[in-house]
Amino acid sequence: MKRVALSLAILLTTAGAAFSADLAARPYTKAAPMVAAIYDWSGFYIGLNGGGGWSRKCWTNTSTLGGPTVPAFDEGCHDATGGIVGGQVGYRWQSASWVFGLEGQGDWANLKGSNASLASAPIFGFAATNQSKIDAIGLVTGQVGYAWSNVLWYAKGGLAIAHDKYEGILTATSVTFDRASETRYGGAVGTGIEFGFAPNWSVGVEYDHLFLGRRDLTFTSALPPAGGLSRTDSIRQDVDMVTARINYRFGGPVIAKY
């Protein structure tokens, strides 16, 4: 009996060693690679903007009471400055790190300025002040930019629109004696930088220059009999504006890249 038990123990020990030797070594598995989040700028967006602007306006009198002013008389220049607030809507699409887009922007503005007319005394026979105000600005632009994940730098260019009001004021009494208004079209260029701080939210700052050129404006009398022809001035202006912006983008989530 002892001999049988001893033989069985030897058999089990030998079989266990052989079975262990036949087991394959545990395979090595490489750790999963880390995932890098890439911000995607594609999609429609809507946002708000606010800031300030300034416009240089130079007046030249070319006609008085329907008759030409010969030679034309420079009335002087002034800077119209003030605040800007409004909104924008647009669409962007991203290809690799390049971002392209289209945007429409509309702003309420309060850019005001004035100067003493250098022509009023010799032409009208009294001291006058020329005053101007830009009360609305619009932009329709294309964009091209380069993105470093959630940081986007872009340049833009396209159409600029501004609505202007002009007044001639009697310096002694502050009474308006003539006025004019216009909607002026021109070109715009600008640049900005934008930071994505959430999957669909971004903030940025932008600078724009508006080329609005020179245009002849016919002023009508504001004194009785009101509505008659007063003068014609050739007025040149450009606009510079700096705005802070916040946008909400529909679609274009953060994507993962290995």
Side-chain angles (χ1 to χ4, degrees):
M1 188 68 180
K2 290 181 179 180
R3 184 175 298 174
V4 173
L6 180 60
S7 298
L8 182 60
I10 293 172
L11 179 62
L12 290 174
T13 300
T14 304
F19 180 75
S20 298
D22 289 340
L23 287 177
R26 184 176 181 180
Y28 170 76
T29 57
K30 185 179 180 180
M34 296 185 65
V35 177
I38 303 299
Y39 199 88
D40 183 10
W41 291 92
S42 300
F44 289 96
Y45 64 90
I46 188 170
L48 299 173
N49 70 79
W54 58 98
S55 175
R56 183 70 172 171
K57 295 177 179 286
C58 293
W59 303 44
T60 301
N61 181 275
T62 60
S63 176
T64 305
L65 300 176
T69 302
V70 182
F73 207 114
D74 288 337
E75 296 203 49
C77 303
H78 63 257
D79 292 322
T81 60
I84 296 170
V85 64
Q88 63 273 347
V89 61
Y91 179 78
R92 287 176 175 145
W93 62 96
Q94 184 168 350
S95 176
S97 294
W98 292 98
V99 180
F100 306 90
L102 295 170
E103 182 182 276
Q105 176 178 332
D107 289 275
W108 168 86
N110 189 33
L111 278 56
K112 299 174 65 175
S114 63
N115 68 281
S117 171
L118 303 178
S120 60
I123 294 176
F124 289 124
F126 53 81
T129 299
N130 289 331
Q131 179 175 285
S132 70
K133 177 182 178 180
I134 299 176
D135 60 11
I137 293 173
L139 301 175
V140 180
T141 54
Q143 297 182 1
V144 59
Y146 192 87
W148 295 267
S149 188
N150 67 322
V151 179
L152 171 66
W153 168 82
Y154 61 88
K156 62 189 293 187
L159 174 67
I161 308 169
H163 186 262
D164 298 79
K165 295 180 178 179
Y166 306 92
E167 291 184 341
I169 300 171
L170 298 173
T171 304
T173 61
S174 299
V175 173
T176 298
F177 69 89
D178 65 0
R179 58 172 55 96
S181 65
E182 65 165 338
T183 299
R184 188 177 297 206
Y185 297 85
V189 295
T191 186
I193 188 166
E194 202 164 325
F195 302 89
F197 64 90
N200 296 88
W201 289 94
S202 60
V203 294
V205 62
E206 181 177 296
Y207 164 77
D208 297 291
H209 180 81
L210 283 55
F211 301 90
L212 297 175
R214 182 177 290 275
R215 185 171 174 180
D216 291 336
L217 274 295
T218 299
F219 287 70
T220 56
S221 176
L223 299 176
L229 182 63
S230 174
R231 57 176 165 157
T232 299
D233 267 62
S234 177
I235 301 177
R236 180 189 180 279
Q237 66 165 324
D238 287 339
V239 176
D240 295 276
M241 47 193 285
V242 177
T243 54
R245 299 154 59 91
I246 183 167
N247 288 325
Y248 179 80
R249 184 166 32 83
F250 302 90
V254 173
I255 61 175
K257 181 179 180 181
Y258 288 89

